[in-house]
Amino acid sequence: MPPAVSSQQTLIDYLLSDARILAWVGWGGLIIGVVSLVVTIFGFAIAVIQIRRVKLASEAARDATVCMAAQVRSKEQSAKIVFALGQVNNATTHITGDNAGAAVAHLLTSCNAVIEARALSFDEKDQATYDECIYANRKIIENLPIKAGVSIDEKKQKFYVQSLRKIASNLDEMSVRLRYEFVTHGEVR
């Protein structure tokens, strides 16, 4: 039981001078400090876990974006190759029909499509094949007689058709490979 408080001693003086109350206040402060420390450490651990989760989610989003961009690039590259292949086939038809002017137009369009497909490719082997197709296309374009009324002799016509078939074969092979990679892996490496 606390001693009686005199008239001159106020309650605050009593609380600040009694050893038992100071001990209780000291122990209470220590307990509150320890509990605060535990809660702070627990909160810090939760914050670290949340930051790691956010980091993993952002990395997954980045990877998904890169994969999607690669797939779009692959599809666009494949579409350009197929378009170029169609133009080469049209040029072949026009060469066999003695219409060199139309063949040149188709070969120029094919060459442009191959250049666009090459720009989308990161594979050095593909780029070498693209360069080969572009070179062969341009060589044929340079040698085709595009004057009206001038026909292509049969020997040159066969040479041009064989060259165009080789170009078409290369483009077809690349198209099939791109399609196979996309279907098998779902992404382009």
Side-chain angles (χ1 to χ4, degrees):
M1 201 45 123
V5 179
S6 66
S7 63
Q8 297 166 341
Q9 191 179 20
T10 63
L11 181 62
I12 295 178
D13 289 337
Y14 169 72
L15 292 175
L16 293 176
S17 61
D18 187 21
R20 283 181 287 157
I21 292 178
L22 288 176
W24 280 103
V25 169
W27 280 107
L30 179 65
I31 291 171
I32 290 173
V34 169
V35 169
S36 296
L37 178 66
V38 169
V39 168
T40 302
I41 291 172
F42 184 68
F44 181 73
I46 289 175
V48 168
I49 290 169
Q50 292 296 330
I51 289 170
R52 292 186 74 171
R53 285 182 182 169
V54 168
K55 180 183 174 189
L56 290 174
S58 68
E59 287 173 354
R62 183 196 65 220
D63 292 346
T65 304
V66 168
C67 182
M68 182 59 71
Q71 288 177 356
V72 168
R73 186 177 54 247
S74 172
K75 284 287 192 184
E76 188 174 349
Q77 184 181 5
S78 182
K80 294 206 181 290
I81 290 171
V82 169
F83 178 73
L85 178 61
Q87 294 299 314
V88 168
N89 290 335
N90 289 340
T92 304
T93 302
H94 286 295
I95 285 177
T96 57
D98 259 354
N99 190 355
V104 167
H106 286 291
L107 287 174
L108 284 172
T109 306
S110 169
C111 195
N112 289 337
V114 171
I115 289 170
E116 290 172 4
R118 184 188 188 285
L120 294 169
S121 173
F122 294 125
D123 188 2
E124 290 182 23
K125 181 184 175 223
D126 284 350
Q127 289 186 355
T129 305
Y130 287 135
D131 290 341
E132 187 179 306
C133 290
I134 293 167
Y135 178 77
N137 259 345
R138 293 215 170 141
K139 206 66 172 155
I140 293 171
I141 291 169
E142 289 173 4
N143 294 323
L144 276 174
I146 54 174
K147 295 179 184 174
V150 177
S151 64
I152 306 168
D153 69 1
E154 196 172 318
K155 187 176 180 182
K156 283 188 176 183
Q157 193 177 53
K158 285 181 183 180
F159 172 75
Y160 292 144
V161 169
Q162 286 176 347
S163 297
L164 289 174
R165 285 188 179 146
K166 182 178 180 197
I167 293 169
S169 173
N170 286 342
L171 291 174
D172 192 40
E173 180 183 309
M174 290 179 71
S175 172
V176 168
R177 189 181 48 72
L178 281 172
R179 212 172 346 193
Y180 174 76
E181 278 183 2
F182 185 79
V183 169
T184 320
H185 305 295
E187 64 182 66
V188 176
R189 288 178 265 164

